[in-house]
Amino acid sequence: MEPRVAYERDDNGTMDVDRTDPPENFYAIGCDDLGRTRRKRAVESLRRATQRIECETDERRRTDERNARALFEQNARRLVLERSEAAHRRPVVRCSSSTVGDTVATCIWDGTCRLRDRNNLQGKTTFAAHEVRCADVRIHPSYCAGVDGPCAATGSSDGTAKRWDNRGGNLATYKGHADRVARIAFHPYGDHLATTSFDRTRRLWDVETAAELLLQEGLSRAVYALAFQCDVSWSVSGRLDAVGWVWDLRTGRHIHTLTGHIKPILAVDVAEDGYTVATAGEDHTCRLWDLRQRRCIYTLPAHSSLISAACFETKQGETLLTASFDGTSRLWSTSTYTRLNTLETHNGEVATGAVAAEAALVVSAGFDKSLKRWCADREGEWPNALRCPVLAWVARRGNRTQRF
């Protein structure tokens, strides 16, 4: 790059070249740890992608893909309300379900976080995570109930994120944002934490040392939603200017832009197939993107109000869950784009939700301060809450178990 030359006028008004400024770098130079992390991710992503493709190939040989898809859709259609608990004294803003074990974490407006048993929704540990409003909570990818150690992370309106153990002890605090934190996400390996904020930045932190590895700034609007790809090769973020960005984690480069929403993007997720992305927001729609084709493959007219959460089921991504301020959560087929079920028992806005593998279990929470568990009602197998003869008779008679 040619150096920028500064011209000065002398006393006679003529141009004179007296000074040459040093060349300017039009990028932020990262730390050495960031370089090592990116090289490590480049190797790991290839290995992980190879394993995923081999597993998918083996799965296709052993099972009929149409039968597997039919199982997911059948589970989604048979979801019934099994249990409802008054979760907190204030509205529940986010919940997160563990990938290993049976733990659900919830956070609310007053800064409190609670760990619960996913089977009965009973609280196990409650702690004051922040002095002001909690914005998000995420369970560590490797956390297993009953094992002491790192458990979850929270983000708050005070501009910080914190990491906690299963007893409510604070393990680390991540400081740096100049405005409130919007969303947080653990890297699939659990060794890094990503945060987005209303200060128009996204940051990547070392989980153990709490060191800031990456500061991505210069964005036009606040960064809100964030999700990692399962092969750890890229991530996607959603901004309040209705644009989604895809970032290569191995090089740090912006590789694709998701345009089409007309209002802010509030939720993003990446399916387990490694290339399907869901984005949703204030325009009441959820868009599905195929990053192999680099285009939107379908737009779901999902709700009549803003969509607060969107997530794929955690096994193959055959089912998508959306939660909305219209008071409902809905499940969709990602292959036929049809609505499979509508869950509508919250008395108010639904703020968050999570769907387990094979769409056989859904957890939802909302501004009515409740946490609800939905299970697939297989023939001859009634959920725990409906094993009482009276409740089971009423449910069969009315065929409207969701009303309970």
Side-chain angles (χ1 to χ4, degrees):
M1 181 176 63
E2 293 294 333
R4 188 181 65 179
V5 179
Y7 296 93
E8 293 185 347
R9 293 182 180 274
D10 58 15
D11 295 337
N12 298 326
T14 59
M15 301 296 291
D16 189 15
V17 181
D18 288 337
R19 186 179 73 252
T20 302
D21 289 347
E24 294 184 2
N25 292 321
F26 295 96
Y27 57 89
I29 300 178
C31 61
D32 293 338
D33 289 341
L34 178 60
R36 287 192 290 268
T37 298
R38 285 177 172 168
R39 288 190 290 271
K40 181 180 178 181
R41 292 291 174 257
V43 176
E44 292 174 343
S45 63
L46 292 175
R47 177 180 59 82
R48 190 153 176 163
T50 301
Q51 292 177 348
R52 175 176 59 82
I53 294 173
E54 290 176 351
C55 290
E56 290 178 355
T57 303
D58 184 60
E59 186 73 16
R60 290 193 183 99
R61 291 172 180 168
R62 292 187 294 105
T63 61
D64 187 345
E65 184 176 355
R66 289 176 297 180
N67 290 340
R69 184 178 303 141
L71 173 63
F72 294 162
E73 294 183 359
Q74 184 182 57
N75 288 339
R77 288 192 174 97
R78 290 181 173 178
L79 284 173
V80 295
L81 181 62
E82 181 194 33
R83 187 176 295 273
S84 178
E85 292 288 335
H88 293 275
R89 294 173 296 176
R90 299 291 303 278
V92 182
V93 292
R94 297 293 288 174
C95 75
S96 175
S97 181
S98 62
T99 55
V100 180
D102 297 313
T103 301
V104 174
T106 58
C107 66
I108 61 174
W109 276 358
D110 65 2
T112 302
C113 182
R114 181 172 295 174
L115 303 179
R116 297 174 176 272
D117 189 322
R118 193 170 61 186
N119 295 316
N120 55 24
L121 301 185
Q122 297 300 308
K124 297 188 291 185
T125 304
T126 302
F127 52 92
H130 300 269
E131 295 181 357
V132 295
R133 179 183 300 185
C134 269
D136 200 6
V137 61
R138 283 290 177 267
I139 293 182
H140 194 277
S142 62
Y143 173 70
C144 183
V147 179
D148 292 338
C151 173
T154 57
S156 170
S157 296
D158 60 11
T160 67
K162 296 183 179 181
R163 186 166 61 100
W164 307 90
D165 62 20
N166 60 322
R167 301 180 183 275
N170 185 12
L171 302 177
T173 300
Y174 309 94
K175 298 181 179 180
H177 285 292
D179 204 340
R180 63 187 188 272
V181 172
R183 292 289 182 263
I184 63 175
F186 275 110
H187 188 276
Y189 285 167
D191 52 356
H192 294 99
L193 180 72
T195 57
T196 62
S197 171
F198 284 84
D199 64 4
R200 303 182 183 181
T201 68
R202 65 181 184 93
R203 300 173 190 242
L204 186 68
W205 311 83
D206 186 290
V207 165
E208 295 296 332
T209 65
E212 181 184 285
L213 300 179
L214 173 66
L215 166 59
Q216 180 68 52
E217 52 187 354
L219 304 174
S220 61
R221 292 290 300 276
V223 188
Y224 197 82
L226 178 72
F228 285 101
Q229 190 245 12
C230 58
D231 295 336
V232 303
S233 58
W234 51 268
S235 66
V236 58
S237 60
R239 303 194 325 220
L240 296 187
D241 58 2
V243 177
W245 283 40
V246 182
W247 303 89
D248 191 330
L249 298 177
R250 300 160 295 186
T251 63
R253 294 180 178 179
H254 164 235
I255 56 176
H256 189 54
T257 303
L258 309 177
T259 58
H261 285 281
I262 58 176
K263 288 188 177 181
I265 295 175
L266 304 180
V268 299
D269 198 20
V270 183
E272 288 297 312
D273 58 18
Y275 55 82
T276 304
V277 174
T279 59
E282 286 190 14
D283 59 5
H284 308 177
T285 67
C286 181
R287 289 176 173 261
L288 297 176
W289 310 80
D290 189 330
L291 289 194
R292 300 171 303 177
Q293 306 176 40
R294 295 188 172 229
R295 67 181 184 90
C296 177
I297 55 177
Y298 200 82
T299 301
L300 298 171
H303 293 271
S304 59
S305 185
L306 69 83
I307 300 175
S308 55
C311 56
F312 291 97
E313 61 90 13
T314 56
K315 186 174 182 180
Q316 294 184 8
E318 292 287 346
T319 308
L320 175 70
L321 172 72
T322 57
S324 170
F325 275 22
D326 64 7
T328 67
S329 299
R330 294 178 176 174
L331 290 110
W332 308 83
S333 169
T334 57
S335 55
T336 62
Y337 313 118
T338 56
R339 186 175 66 189
L340 303 176
N341 203 344
T342 299
L343 315 177
E344 47 181 356
T345 58
H346 283 281
N347 297 319
E349 296 91 341
V350 183
T352 183
V355 56
E358 298 182 354
L361 174 67
V362 169
V363 176
S364 64
F367 286 6
D368 61 357
K369 309 173 189 177
S370 69
L371 183 67
K372 301 182 186 295
R373 168 188 161 99
W374 310 78
C375 289
D377 171 27
R378 297 182 175 86
E379 295 181 2
E381 297 181 11
W382 286 91
N384 295 332
L386 299 180
R387 287 175 183 166
C388 170
V390 176
L391 292 181
W393 177 83
V394 173
R396 291 189 182 98
R397 181 182 179 86
N399 196 26
R400 291 288 294 178
T401 310
Q402 288 90 337
R403 294 293 183 185
F404 279 38

